[in-house]
Amino acid sequence: PFAGGSVRGIVANYLGYKYTGIDIRQEQIDSNREQGFDILSIDNQPNYYVGDSNEILSGFNKEFDFIFSCPPYADLEVYSDLRGDISNMNYNDFMSAYESIIFKSCNLLKSGSYACFVVGEVRDKKGNYLGFIPDTINAFKKCGMNYYNEAVLLNPVASASMRAKGNMKTQKLVKIHQNVLIFKKP
């Protein structure tokens, strides 16, 4: 779910894996396919589906070895106004759809397989953290997944120093990382 850009699909297929990605936006999938054709041979292309992950995952009947995704961080960045795009939902509706997508994804994982989600914390309209990282961990635990590992993905520091002055006016630290959360299916 939440395929987004082409990198995960192209790298996976380049390394000999078979990637399947779902994204709600046709223009994103078109761009991914175009980039795939520029880099990979015609017989080694990632497999993309266009549509709502919640609906598409309901139709899958095969098992997967690994889930690797970077979902929308609530409404931090709204990707479209399409029905089913969770980035344009209020947080409660977002979490309901997000948990459903995680559940359906985890049900398609083979036993002993892993899921990796790259997430970052987001704030409400008053500037308070919503708890998206623990909410993601709890969503996976509800599916019976074990919280297995984590890492910190550092973002370039240079732009953070340029944003620091503005952030200090609101007494908010500048974020320079994302959380890489890894889960294992028993």
Side-chain angles (χ1 to χ4, degrees):
F2 318 116
S6 64
V7 173
R8 286 184 293 272
I10 289 173
V11 171
N13 277 55
Y14 181 82
L15 293 173
Y17 301 100
K18 297 296 178 194
Y19 178 87
T20 300
I22 306 166
D23 199 273
I24 199 161
R25 296 178 306 128
Q26 180 71 53
E27 63 272 15
Q28 181 64 65
I29 297 301
D30 291 346
S31 175
N32 292 359
R33 287 180 175 143
E34 183 178 319
Q35 291 172 36
F37 289 131
D38 288 344
I39 297 169
L40 300 168
S41 66
I42 192 78
D43 61 340
N44 185 30
Q45 293 296 311
N47 186 21
Y48 291 107
Y49 291 83
V50 178
D52 180 349
S53 293
N54 221 350
E55 294 175 5
I56 292 174
L57 287 167
S58 295
F60 280 7
N61 60 3
K62 60 182 176 177
E63 289 187 309
F64 294 87
D65 297 312
F66 186 57
I67 300 169
F68 187 26
S69 188
C70 184
Y73 297 3
D75 63 357
L76 181 65
E77 183 177 353
V78 175
Y79 293 100
S80 77
D81 59 359
L82 296 169
R83 185 183 68 77
D85 183 343
I86 67 173
S87 73
N88 65 34
M89 297 178 180
N90 69 54
Y91 194 68
N92 288 334
D93 293 340
F94 168 89
M95 280 307 302
S96 178
Y98 183 58
E99 287 180 354
S100 176
I101 291 165
I102 288 172
F103 178 81
K104 290 174 183 179
S105 298
C106 291
N107 277 345
L108 297 171
L109 271 178
K110 295 177 184 174
S111 181
S113 295
Y114 297 88
C116 176
F117 267 41
V118 179
V119 295
E121 196 53 80
V122 291
R123 297 181 185 276
D124 65 17
K125 302 299 182 220
K126 295 179 182 178
N128 301 306
Y129 278 137
L130 290 169
F132 181 50
I133 294 165
D135 285 347
T136 297
I137 294 167
N138 289 329
F140 275 95
K141 286 182 171 183
K142 285 181 189 176
C143 300
M145 299 287 286
N146 294 316
Y147 184 27
Y148 193 75
N149 227 332
E150 67 178 352
V152 172
L153 174 62
L154 291 177
N155 298 327
V157 176
S159 65
S161 59
M162 296 177 355
R163 296 186 318 249
K165 182 179 178 184
N167 279 46
M168 288 298 109
K169 290 178 185 174
T170 61
Q171 301 176 336
K172 305 284 190 287
L173 296 174
V174 176
K175 298 281 287 190
I176 59 168
H177 76 282
Q178 297 174 73
N179 298 70
V180 180
L181 307 175
I182 301 160
F183 305 89
K184 184 175 183 181
K185 187 169 186 175

